[in-house]
């Protein structure tokens, strides 16, 4: 049986920042605005899995410009090294403003381009990467260096709450993987209705009446 084990998205800026930081060459010998990484796994023979992948690419041929299959484990590992190295590369390059949002994957390009309009003139580099299947986009803006606090404040003001407002209008979620925590509590209403937040608060009171579990996180004060 063969299954899709990964359908990943990354734009060129994401791939480039990972390659530059880790000293990697582009294993695909091509530069495109966006990349989709598809991985299949299973207990069938490799030749049969390759045939199934080719069939999938053929069905999707109207939706992409170019496609290539890895011809070695080395090439496969190099591609995954780029994809998995994006977040660390961004954080090591400079101050990074990270948004972990969920929305229709058809909107990935739109929100990336509009974010670029917001911050490019302020010295911010937008990198977008994520998971197609669950609509999770890591929308990050990177500054070069860590000392320009004035520009950092301008970038933060340009992004927040604008990103959350965009997600709300798109019917998405302000947090896909990393939780609400402390920084997003005031924006929980962008993803959840007042009634839903009220019920979340009631559940919190039932299971944690003394507020000792994850204190000050997830729920706004109005829900407690």
């Amino acid at each position: 049986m063969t299954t899709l084990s990964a359908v990943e998205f990354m734009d060129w800026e994401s791939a480039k920042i990972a390659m530059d930081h880790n000293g990697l060459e582009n294993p695909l010998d091509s530069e495109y605005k966006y990349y989709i990484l598809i991985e299949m796994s299973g207990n069938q023979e490799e030749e049969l899995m390759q045939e199934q992948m080719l069939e999938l690419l053929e069905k999707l041929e109207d939706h992409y410009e170019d496609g290539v299959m890895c011809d070695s484990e080395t090439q496969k590992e190099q591609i995954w090294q780029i994809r998995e190295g994006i977040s660390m590369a961004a954080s090591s390059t400079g101050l990074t403003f990270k948004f972990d949002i969920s929305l229709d994957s058809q909107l990935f390009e739109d929100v990336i381009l509009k974010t670029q309009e917001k911050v490019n003139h302020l010295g911010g580099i937008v990198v977008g990467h994520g998971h197609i299947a669950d609509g999770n986009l890591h929308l990050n803006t990177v500054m070069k260096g860590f000392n320009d606090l004035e520009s950092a404040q301008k970038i933060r003001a340009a992004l927040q709450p604008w990103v959350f407002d965009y997600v709300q209008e798109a019917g998405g979620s302000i947090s896909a993987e990393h939780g609400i925590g402390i920084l997003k509590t005031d924006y929980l209403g962008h993803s959840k209705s007042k009634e839903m937040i009220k019920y979340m608060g009631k559940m919190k009171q039932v299971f944690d009446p003394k507020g000792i579990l994850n204190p000050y996180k997830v729920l706004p004060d109005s829900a407690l």
Side-chain angles (χ1 to χ4, degrees):
M1 179 178 180
T2 301
T3 60
L4 283 173
S5 56
V7 185
E8 298 288 290
F9 165 87
M10 61 183 178
D11 62 8
W12 170 246
E13 290 294 344
S14 296
K16 185 175 185 301
I17 202 169
M19 288 188 289
D20 289 347
H21 177 70
N22 294 300
L24 302 173
E25 298 290 334
N26 186 348
L28 300 177
D29 295 325
S30 58
E31 295 181 13
Y32 293 102
K33 198 170 183 178
Y34 305 107
Y35 295 86
I36 299 294
L37 169 60
I38 301 174
E39 182 178 69
M40 300 180 74
S41 61
N43 54 9
Q44 294 177 324
E45 294 184 2
E46 183 175 349
E47 183 176 345
L48 179 58
M49 291 178 63
Q50 289 179 344
E51 291 178 1
Q52 292 174 333
M53 177 63 79
L54 288 173
E55 290 177 3
L56 176 62
L57 293 176
E58 185 176 348
K59 291 179 181 179
L60 298 173
E61 62 182 356
D62 293 335
H63 303 283
Y64 65 89
E65 185 175 344
D66 192 11
V68 62
M69 289 179 57
C70 291
D71 56 14
S72 67
E73 281 296 317
T74 299
Q75 186 183 35
K76 174 183 173 181
E77 290 173 1
Q78 289 174 336
I79 294 174
W80 273 113
Q81 189 175 3
I82 292 171
R83 170 62 185 86
E84 294 174 345
I86 295 170
S87 183
M88 182 62 70
S91 297
S92 300
T93 298
L95 289 173
T96 304
F97 304 87
K98 297 186 175 184
F99 292 88
D100 168 50
I101 60 177
S102 178
L103 69 170
D104 192 321
S105 58
Q106 294 184 33
L107 294 174
F108 281 10
E109 179 179 41
D110 184 64
V111 72
I112 289 172
L113 293 177
K114 288 180 177 176
T115 304
Q116 289 173 345
E117 293 175 1
K118 290 281 184 180
V119 301
N120 276 3
H121 68 286
L122 298 173
I125 303 170
V126 178
V127 298
H129 58 99
H131 321 296
I132 291 293
D134 59 4
N136 178 201
L137 176 66
H138 300 288
L139 182 67
N140 301 336
T141 295
V142 184
M143 289 178 52
K144 290 187 176 181
F146 300 89
N147 300 319
D148 190 353
L149 297 184
E150 182 178 353
S151 293
Q153 291 174 346
K154 291 180 180 178
I155 289 176
R156 180 179 293 278
L159 293 175
Q160 193 169 305
W162 177 82
V163 171
F164 297 139
D165 291 342
Y166 182 100
V167 171
Q168 183 179 38
E169 293 178 7
S173 173
I174 64 171
S175 182
E177 284 186 315
H178 300 159
I180 299 298
I182 295 175
L183 298 179
K184 300 176 184 177
T185 54
D186 290 338
Y187 299 101
L188 184 60
H190 282 60
S191 296
K192 303 295 183 182
S193 67
K194 291 182 180 179
E195 291 76 13
M196 179 64 73
I197 295 174
K198 181 180 178 180
Y199 281 114
M200 291 168 69
K202 288 182 177 181
M203 292 178 65
K204 172 77 170 176
Q205 291 169 9
V206 169
F207 293 103
D208 184 26
K210 295 184 178 180
I212 61 176
L213 302 177
N214 276 345
Y216 316 113
K217 295 182 179 180
V218 181
L219 292 174
D221 292 339
S222 60
L224 300 175

